[in-house]
Amino acid sequence: MESAGPVMAGLAGLIAWFVIGTGLLQNLIYLVQLGLAAAALIERPPSPQAGVLWRRYADASPPIALLAPAFNEAMTISQSVRSLLSLHYPNFEVIVINDGSTDKTLQVLIDVFDLKPLHRHYDLAIDHKPIRAVYGAAHQPRLIVVDKENGGKADALNAGINVSRAPIFCSMDADSLLEPDALLRAVRPFVEDPEKTVAVGGTIRIANGCRIEDGRVVEVRAPRNPLALLQTVEYLRAFLMARLAWSRINALTIISGAFGLFRRARVIEVGGYTHGTVGEDMELVVKLHRLMRDKGLPYRVSFVPEPVCWTEAPESIRVLGRQRSRWHRGALETFERHWRMLFTPRYGRVGFVGFGYILLVDVIGPVVELLGYLLIPTLWAMGLLSVDYLLAFLAGSFTFGVVISVGSLALEESELRRFPRARDLILLTTVAVIENFGYRQVNNLWRLRGIWQYLRRSQSWGAMTRKGFGAPSS
């Protein structure tokens, strides 16, 4: 620093400490999440076998409507619907909403399940694009298919909510597969605390590499595709650590659109899913928090780690990048719509912890991380920063990241044991280390692109090319 003026050196030091401090604060939060998640699993270990759950909860379980919006899902729709129809749950119906698909999604459903037009009364409690027809099958009374004009996922879900009749609905993706006992496990909070529970989320897992037969995952394997492997570790960290932790303190602000249970009456009360956002899943959960807090009513938004929904992860850099940019854009849109909840006492932990986390990690996090990668090495090379600053930044960026990733994997294996093969665990542990050296930085670039798209008010989803379940992973 001797070669630079005191003002420039001081400014460089302030920038460095801001970047390092922000990164350390993020990693400290991740460590707290890991501790909270571990405590939650210790306090409430995984549920007993499905047969025990059936005897315990079957009689008290409320009816559930599974809503599966489908847009151009012809490759996976038949296996997905078969998977849903074979679920172990006493009282449910499957409502597939064909959102104006331009491929053969509707025709595949009609042919495979021998569907016929059906006269079914439904409410118009929530606005959505017109429904063109409703189909059913005499030999499969649990299945309802709604054909409507294209309006986007939120619009399709709103149509499904209107057509459904059950007090609880399950929002999911048509290209996902639920484990047979997923509903029975996810409904537990509604059975045990029916007055307070308004929403429940479950774990999403990567199906790439797994052996799938007749719409079920029959053998869990680590993916062979490098991108899918990286996402497997990401999903473990996001669901088992972050969401379980925030659920424990009732500050969970997102339930994945791929698998979540909601009380229908409360969702109708908040106007259903919001149009004009790509983060409709997060937006709905935040609206429910806001409704219950504004009314001063006790409530719970829970996360249950045992019910598992399997989804096909992108195996292409372009598709994955579009997905991550869109996810980040959705978080920013939700924050903009509800920013007044931030640090507002009325909203309790949701306002302080939930929205504080969004502010730190999603709003300013990507920009600060980019500044760190660009400015700190540059300032050090210019002689404006000592090597201590550079080492502190690198330690905070990489060491904590490795600890959090490996810790999440260890927590999963110690409590849930989803990967039976030792070589898969060794592979995933290796990936948990190396993802911090390259993949994390690329992910940050995608998040920055999401910020740019948000500022430009883009509403594009982008094409999500899929191979279909059972296709060989590259």
Side-chain angles (χ1 to χ4, degrees):
M1 287 191 190
E2 292 78 13
S3 61
V7 175
M8 289 295 295
L11 181 60
L14 286 175
I15 293 172
W17 276 118
F18 174 71
V19 171
I20 293 169
T22 302
L24 288 175
L25 181 58
Q26 285 190 43
N27 284 301
L28 177 61
I29 291 175
Y30 296 149
L31 286 174
V32 170
Q33 287 180 333
L34 190 61
L36 287 172
L41 284 175
I42 291 170
E43 286 179 5
R44 188 159 191 167
S47 304
Q49 296 297 318
V52 177
L53 285 174
W54 184 275
R55 292 191 295 273
R56 185 179 298 174
Y57 295 112
D59 292 339
S61 297
I64 293 178
L66 287 94
L67 310 184
F71 178 74
N72 291 352
E73 303 285 357
M75 290 188 65
T76 59
I77 192 67
S78 61
Q79 285 201 63
S80 297
V81 173
R82 285 195 185 99
S83 171
L84 297 179
L85 292 172
S86 64
L87 292 174
H88 297 165
Y89 193 78
N91 190 355
F92 72 97
E93 64 178 355
V94 177
I95 301 178
V96 181
I97 307 101
N98 178 49
D99 190 39
S101 296
T102 56
D103 68 354
K104 296 182 179 181
T105 297
L106 180 61
Q107 194 58 50
V108 167
L109 288 168
I110 290 174
D111 293 342
V112 171
F113 297 100
D114 192 25
L115 299 177
K116 306 295 182 186
L118 178 72
H119 295 287
R120 176 176 171 119
H121 173 76
Y122 52 87
D123 298 328
L124 292 175
I126 309 172
D127 291 335
H128 54 75
K129 293 284 187 178
I131 292 175
R132 296 186 288 219
V134 178
Y135 297 87
H139 67 283
Q140 193 54 265
R142 291 187 187 276
L143 177 61
I144 301 292
V145 174
V146 177
D147 181 36
K148 61 178 288 294
E149 294 180 8
N150 179 259
K153 184 178 179 182
D155 192 81
L157 286 167
N158 286 341
I161 293 169
N162 281 343
V163 172
S164 67
R165 295 170 178 171
I168 308 296
F169 72 84
C170 174
S171 164
M172 61 173 299
D173 290 337
D175 61 341
S176 300
L177 304 175
L178 293 181
E179 292 195 341
D181 61 357
L183 284 184
L184 200 57
R185 293 182 182 277
V187 83
R188 285 180 64 185
F190 286 102
V191 175
E192 295 174 354
D193 198 356
E195 296 299 322
K196 293 182 181 179
T197 304
V198 296
V200 175
T203 297
I204 312 298
R205 290 293 176 88
I206 302 298
N208 305 53
C210 297
R211 188 159 63 90
I212 298 171
E213 295 178 0
D214 298 325
R216 289 190 183 182
V217 175
V218 297
E219 184 179 359
V220 178
R221 298 173 181 168
R224 288 176 290 173
N225 178 272
L227 277 181
L229 262 175
L230 290 162
Q231 292 171 80
T232 299
V233 175
E234 267 189 306
Y235 275 52
L236 286 174
R237 186 171 59 244
F239 286 93
L240 188 60
M241 186 186 79
R243 300 192 186 184
L244 182 57
W246 286 164
S247 168
R248 190 171 187 268
I249 61 173
N250 205 23
L252 183 63
T253 57
I254 183 169
I255 288 174
S256 174
F259 183 46
L261 272 62
F262 299 88
R263 191 167 298 282
R264 181 177 182 266
R266 291 299 186 190
V267 172
I268 290 175
E269 196 172 353
V270 298
Y273 286 88
T274 302
H275 295 80
T277 177
V278 295
E280 74 289 329
D281 46 4
M282 184 178 187
E283 166 79 6
L284 177 62
V285 175
V286 171
K287 287 198 300 184
L288 289 171
H289 276 295
R290 194 164 188 170
L291 171 73
M292 303 306 286
R293 289 279 181 176
D294 286 343
K295 288 193 165 189
L297 299 174
Y299 73 102
R300 288 287 306 173
V301 174
S302 300
F303 175 82
V304 182
E306 305 101 304
V308 172
C309 172
W310 296 91
T311 190
E312 182 186 352
E315 295 188 350
S316 147
I317 282 282
R318 291 185 62 188
V319 176
L320 180 59
R322 284 197 295 262
Q323 182 193 66
R324 297 311 164 86
S325 296
R326 186 181 73 246
W327 285 359
H328 197 75
R329 193 165 82 240
L332 295 177
E333 289 171 353
T334 299
F335 185 83
E336 179 189 5
R337 290 171 184 264
H338 302 280
W339 67 268
R340 290 180 178 82
M341 295 176 68
L342 178 66
F343 303 145
T344 301
R346 180 201 299 181
Y347 299 108
R349 292 173 181 172
V350 179
F352 282 91
V353 178
F355 267 72
Y357 180 76
I358 298 171
L359 175 65
L360 178 66
V361 175
D362 293 324
V363 178
I364 67 174
V367 177
V368 172
E369 188 167 338
L370 178 67
L371 288 175
Y373 292 132
L374 295 179
L375 286 183
I376 290 184
T378 301
L379 293 172
W380 169 74
M382 293 172 61
L384 295 175
L385 289 177
S386 70
V387 71
D388 294 338
Y389 286 96
L390 180 63
L391 293 177
F393 171 71
L394 294 176
S397 296
F398 298 114
T399 306
F400 275 98
V402 171
V403 169
I404 296 301
S405 298
V406 175
S408 301
L409 183 60
L411 185 62
E412 193 278 342
E413 175 58 17
S414 64
E415 296 295 337
L416 300 180
R417 300 180 180 89
R418 285 285 175 176
F419 293 96
R421 300 194 300 181
R423 64 181 178 181
D424 285 343
L425 290 172
I426 294 171
L427 178 60
L428 289 171
T429 302
T430 304
V431 172
V433 174
I434 66 175
E435 69 155 344
N436 293 277
F437 303 91
Y439 178 69
R440 171 179 163 181
Q441 289 72 32
V442 172
N443 219 320
N444 194 65
L445 292 177
W446 292 332
R447 282 151 47 94
L448 288 166
R449 185 171 67 183
I451 293 176
W452 174 245
Q453 291 171 346
Y454 159 75
L455 293 174
R456 293 177 57 234
R457 300 300 178 184
S458 170
Q459 287 297 309
S460 171
W461 274 67
M464 292 296 292
T465 306
R466 301 185 186 276
K467 291 184 175 182
F469 293 116
S473 184
S474 59

